[in-house]
Amino acid sequence: MKILAIETSCDETAIAIVDVKKNGTKTNFKILGNDLASQVAIHTQYGGVFPMMAKREHSKNIIPIFVSALKKAKIYKKVNKIKYSIELNNKIIDTLVREQELIKKWHKTMPYIAKPKIDAIAVTVGPGLEPALWVGINFAQALSLLWDIPIIPVNHMEGHIFSIFPNKTKTFTVDMNKKMFPVISLLVSGGHTEIVVMKDFMKYKIIGSTRDDAVGEAFDKVARMLGLPYPGGPEISKLARIERENDLPSTITLPRPMLHSKDYDFSFSGLKTSVLYFIRDLPKGKFDDNMKQKIAREFEDAAVDVLTAKTLRAVKFYKAKNLIVGGGVSANTHLQKNLTKALQETDSKINFPTKDLCTDNALMIAIAGYFQSKSKKIKNMNSKIIANGNLAL
Ligand code: KG4
Ligand code: ZN
């Protein structure tokens, strides 16, 4: 089965094409094409992602990325203009009526591409920024009409869970072996901070989440206070690393909110505010590069300490055989090191995505989409799919 996956939930326009073959409990994936246009450079200028700006960029980039993914998969074939029925053309125009940038490119490009052998389209429907999600959904709907193939709606967070399976090569296997459960997933991104228990394949129970800011959001906001560009996570990490590599002692103390609470919830807004007050109360002239380094390090320590403590407790309580860590913040090397060290006292195996799959990508949507299609969550060409910014697992 060949799947084309689309991801536009935040600031990456991504398309992946995979070929999937099932063999007993094992499912073998071959990555045919995987491409992405990042909007980071644009959002950096404004210090964050504005939904309408993200939407416009997706609208501009999605067809070029789609063409590039088809070319990488060697299934792009340019042909003389294909004539479609007026009825089909009208349906497509209706579907894309809100995507002005996209529709212009659609008319110039799509009637000149031969339909490749693709069996289904997987698309992220939430959670995320709704205007951004809609671009991917509308493009998926139009493509599904054009190629007469079904759509598989995919939850972005489920994608992050599946992102640990690909290695750095073109092929990988997902083994639906019951022995891997229970699994605990720590999902840490710009919009989410969740601990999820899985006792079986694709059965999710959220046991803890943030009560205010997501951890990635806190990284981004603190970075802004320190005058660092968006996205803030990697920038804070770079500064913190200088302190750690030079073995400098931490001379600042920030709170570890909810570290000792008996639940699996988090709170990062207080930590962020503590940084704000700390900077405000510094004596004149003290907010220099050296101080910024120290703040970055202590902030990263505080956030990672809480994430590690709660995750470790969940792993122990549920006797998890595997811990999956996914989402943009899972790229954080301090978090990776701390969690790996903490899990040494358990029998649980720790699983991270490769660096490029920690952040948003369409490959994870293709994998989740394939398994969703097997559990019959597949929609035909004419059914309406809705973006849901707050979609839960
Ligand atoms: O999963 P993701 O790409 O998008 C969402 O679904 O939100 O996550 C983006 C978030 C941003 O807040 C970014 O600052 C954070 O992940 N991030 C990091 C690192 N790399 C990305 N946070 C901490 N350390 C990093 N190395
Ligand atoms: Zn994400």
Side-chain angles (χ1 to χ4, degrees):
M1 176 182 195
K2 284 200 179 82
I3 296 181
L4 182 137
I6 302 168
E7 155 66 39
T8 65
S9 69
C10 188
D11 57 352
E12 319 279 6
T13 317
I15 306 255
I17 303 164
V18 296
D19 191 6
V20 197
K21 290 199 171 71
K22 197 165 161 20
N23 182 8
T25 64
K26 294 193 168 79
T27 308
N28 300 316
F29 288 80
K30 187 171 177 196
I31 307 168
L32 302 178
N34 185 21
D35 213 341
L36 177 149
S38 175
Q39 305 175 4
V40 161
I42 287 159
H43 299 303
T44 296
Q45 301 167 37
Y46 301 92
V49 183
F50 287 95
M52 291 316 283
M53 205 181 290
K55 174 192 168 75
R56 209 171 54 226
E57 288 303 306
H58 287 308
S59 226
K60 231 183 339 190
N61 294 334
I62 198 160
I63 289 189
I65 290 296
F66 165 78
V67 169
S68 159
L70 291 184
K71 283 183 179 165
K72 281 188 181 160
K74 299 195 169 57
I75 52 173
Y76 174 81
K77 196 167 159 226
K78 201 161 188 264
V79 289
N80 288 331
K81 189 169 183 175
I82 303 169
K83 287 213 165 49
Y84 305 109
S85 71
I86 293 175
E87 195 200 354
L88 176 62
N89 229 4
N90 287 344
K91 269 194 189 171
I92 290 174
I93 290 170
D94 275 356
T95 307
L96 295 177
V97 71
R98 285 166 190 271
E99 315 297 345
Q100 286 309 310
E101 288 281 341
L102 206 170
I103 207 158
K104 274 188 245 157
K105 286 211 165 86
W106 179 282
H107 291 311
K108 276 193 206 145
T109 316
M110 302 306 280
Y112 302 92
I113 300 175
K115 179 187 167 189
K117 282 202 175 68
I118 299 277
D119 302 291
I121 303 162
V123 64
T124 306
V125 294
L129 307 170
E130 283 190 7
L133 287 163
W134 272 117
V135 182
I137 293 173
N138 286 333
F139 180 66
Q141 298 256 30
L143 196 59
S144 140
L145 288 166
L146 186 69
W147 287 353
D148 198 23
I149 54 174
I151 299 188
I152 313 156
V154 177
N155 182 308
H156 181 81
M157 301 317 284
E158 186 170 45
H160 277 304
I161 292 177
F162 277 106
S163 70
I164 58 133
F165 289 103
N167 41 44
K168 285 186 178 135
T169 65
K170 289 269 173 232
T171 57
F172 61 93
T173 300
V174 179
D175 191 353
M176 292 168 85
N177 196 323
K178 295 256 185 228
K179 278 189 258 168
M180 75 181 278
F181 299 98
V183 172
I184 292 284
S185 289
L186 172 67
L187 301 178
V188 275
S189 70
H192 288 76
T193 310
E194 288 175 344
I195 297 184
V196 183
V197 183
M198 293 163 68
K199 292 197 172 156
D200 199 356
F201 213 69
M202 303 177 86
K203 298 267 187 303
Y204 309 106
K205 186 176 167 210
I206 299 172
I207 54 165
S209 54
T210 181
R211 296 193 181 169
D212 38 58
D213 291 359
V215 63
E217 190 183 349
F219 266 94
D220 294 337
K221 287 179 177 164
V222 169
R224 207 180 318 165
M225 294 177 206
L226 299 180
L228 301 168
Y230 173 86
E235 299 292 328
I236 294 220
S237 223
K238 252 188 256 164
L239 284 194
R241 200 172 308 135
I242 305 173
E243 288 282 303
R244 279 196 202 94
E245 278 171 2
N246 291 316
D247 248 344
L248 299 171
S250 185
T251 47
I252 301 171
T253 309
L254 292 170
R256 269 76 176 149
M258 300 185 71
L259 182 65
H260 300 294
S261 69
K262 296 279 169 255
D263 49 32
Y264 298 108
D265 285 347
F266 301 97
S267 163
F268 291 102
S269 146
L271 174 58
K272 172 194 72 187
T273 313
S274 301
V275 175
L276 186 73
Y277 291 161
F278 181 84
I279 296 171
R280 185 194 64 187
D281 297 340
L282 276 173
K284 230 183 160 107
K286 283 278 180 207
F287 189 44
D288 55 10
D289 287 351
N290 187 264
M291 180 57 76
K292 287 180 186 175
Q293 235 168 259
K294 291 193 181 306
I295 297 171
R297 189 260 187 93
E298 174 62 9
F299 167 78
E300 190 176 64
D301 271 347
V304 166
D305 281 356
V306 188
L307 291 172
T308 304
K310 295 252 161 147
T311 308
L312 177 64
R313 201 144 59 72
V315 165
K316 283 182 178 168
F317 183 82
Y318 287 93
K319 298 190 172 49
K321 296 221 180 76
N322 280 279
L323 170 66
I324 289 176
V325 191
V329 185
S330 68
N332 185 283
T333 46
H334 185 55
L335 176 67
Q336 293 200 358
K337 276 189 197 151
N338 241 42
L339 277 172
T340 307
K341 194 163 164 235
L343 257 69
Q344 280 170 359
E345 59 177 275
T346 72
D347 296 325
S348 179
K349 181 174 173 266
I350 189 160
N351 307 271
F352 295 102
T354 57
K355 196 165 186 309
D356 54 329
L357 298 183
C358 288
T359 43
D360 294 347
N361 63 87
L363 185 55
M364 67 185 196
I365 303 305
I367 310 167
Y370 170 76
F371 289 109
Q372 281 297 348
S373 77
K374 294 293 124 186
S375 68
K376 303 228 168 28
K377 233 189 184 178
I378 193 153
K379 306 268 183 183
N380 76 30
M381 291 52 79
N382 292 313
S383 48
K384 197 86 196 116
I385 292 167
I386 307 281
N388 180 351
N390 298 314
L391 187 68
L393 257 178

